[in-house]
Amino acid sequence: MTASLHAFADSLDGARRLAAALGLGCHTVALRHFPDGESLVRVEPAPGTAILYRALADPNARLVELLLAAAALRDGGAERVVLVAPYLPYMRQDRAFVPGEAVSQRVVGALLADAFDAVVTVDPHLHRTPDLGQVLPGCTAVAVSAAPALAAGLANMVAPDTLLIGPDAESRPWAAAVAGALGLELLVADKQRGGDRAVTLALPDAGRARGRPVLLVDDLLSSGGTLLAATALVKAAGARSVAAAVTHCLAGAGDLARLADAGIAPLLAGDGVPGPIATIALAPVIAQALRQHRLC
Ligand code: R5P
């Protein structure tokens, strides 16, 4: 089956890297907004498999535009429409924490599963729903690990005595994978969240950080509260320096400035969400997954 790749203008850098890794051209999805705020998308005709790529930070309008683009690709002759969304939004609200709340993961998952034949994403935040297939019923669901990409991006900048710390129990899978790839000692902290920005961490073995470089590894950087708390903890324990790497950075400029002021350097992220610290290319691991699952 022939394949083509289509991307919105806000996601072109990552999409072009993926297109190059797959040996495909990259078509831009034309997008305009009507005076009333509604969106209009236009796509190139695409027989065979159409891969639609979009970074999905700030997702509300983007999700609607994705659904429009998927339908337009099918109308244009696509036999199979594959979504590549390196960051999959709304995965954290996986239950009603307070009665009456929407279970956003289930709602958004059903919407995407209905529109796409396959969804490929990187390190989805699936803590109480371990299988992405459950979130995307009836759809081919591929969760790619960023660990090989993060390890490759970090390989030349970590000293052998670096202590790698996952800031909470949920971070263990990717923190362990990066620590294993780089041959680093791993500790995992225990996190309590009191609110969107209120985070406290406990690390009984924090003394292991004394005099050593520390590398924090997590899937998401959102408000930065988790990395700030981890940095305070290891600095109090005598860490020589603190660096951090995350799969996806959703933080704005103010929060990134607070992390820099706290002394986290370097601070790196995968390029699935464009931004100033998104320097680690996820295209190689995504391309490998697309080939492995015969989606391109
Ligand atoms: C939580 O379980 C995630 O793995 C991240 O630790 C969290 O989303 C980071 O959020 P923030 O930067 O707001 O602390």
Side-chain angles (χ1 to χ4, degrees):
M1 211 188 277
T2 55
S4 56
L5 193 143
H6 306 256
F8 286 80
D10 53 29
S11 313
L12 276 182
D13 289 348
R16 285 186 176 134
R17 284 190 275 273
L18 179 60
L22 294 171
L24 299 175
C26 180
H27 304 279
T28 305
V29 176
L31 172 66
R32 85 174 184 91
H33 296 105
F34 292 104
D36 57 15
E38 291 182 4
S39 303
L40 177 71
V41 308
R42 196 177 63 245
V43 300
E44 299 288 327
T49 297
I51 300 170
L52 182 59
Y53 180 104
R54 195 167 203 190
L56 286 179
D58 193 10
N60 293 354
R62 290 174 190 194
L63 282 171
V64 172
E65 290 157 4
L66 268 191
L67 303 183
L68 299 176
L73 287 165
R74 284 193 205 283
D75 291 346
E79 292 157 58
R80 183 166 67 163
V81 185
V82 176
L83 172 64
V84 174
Y87 169 65
L88 198 57
Y90 283 113
M91 293 299 108
R92 282 174 284 182
Q93 179 77 15
D94 57 7
R95 66 181 163 109
F97 297 93
V98 172
E101 285 181 350
V103 183
S104 313
Q105 181 190 83
R106 194 177 64 218
V107 175
V108 173
L111 204 65
L112 294 177
D114 194 45
F116 293 93
D117 299 291
V119 173
V120 178
T121 188
V122 183
D123 288 349
H125 194 92
L126 297 176
H127 293 165
R128 282 163 289 258
T129 319
D131 178 10
L132 184 63
Q134 276 176 259
V135 179
L136 298 160
C139 173
T140 300
V142 180
V144 181
S145 170
L150 294 181
L154 291 162
N156 292 330
M157 51 180 92
V158 291
D161 65 334
T162 298
L163 176 64
L164 192 148
I165 294 181
D168 53 31
E170 293 86 0
S171 70
R172 183 179 282 281
W174 35 86
V178 175
L182 296 174
L184 302 178
E185 180 185 350
L186 169 70
L187 291 181
V188 176
D190 184 40
K191 180 166 86 178
Q192 300 295 327
R193 186 177 283 284
D196 287 347
R197 288 170 179 273
V199 167
T200 52
L201 292 189
L203 186 62
D205 293 331
R208 302 280 307 150
R210 180 172 303 282
R212 295 170 68 184
V214 165
L215 170 63
L216 307 171
V217 172
D218 205 355
D219 61 336
L220 278 181
L221 160 51
S222 186
S223 70
T226 301
L227 293 186
L228 281 176
T231 301
L233 193 149
V234 297
K235 282 198 164 175
R240 195 164 80 223
S241 61
V242 183
V246 296
T247 304
H248 305 295
C249 174
L250 308 175
D255 288 320
L256 288 176
R258 269 185 281 283
L259 293 166
D261 290 346
I264 303 179
L267 172 56
L268 308 172
D271 65 354
V273 177
I277 69 162
T279 54
I280 296 180
L282 297 177
V285 289
I286 297 173
Q288 189 184 22
L290 284 165
R291 288 200 189 94
Q292 191 185 330
H293 291 268
R294 300 185 185 285
L295 293 172
C296 59

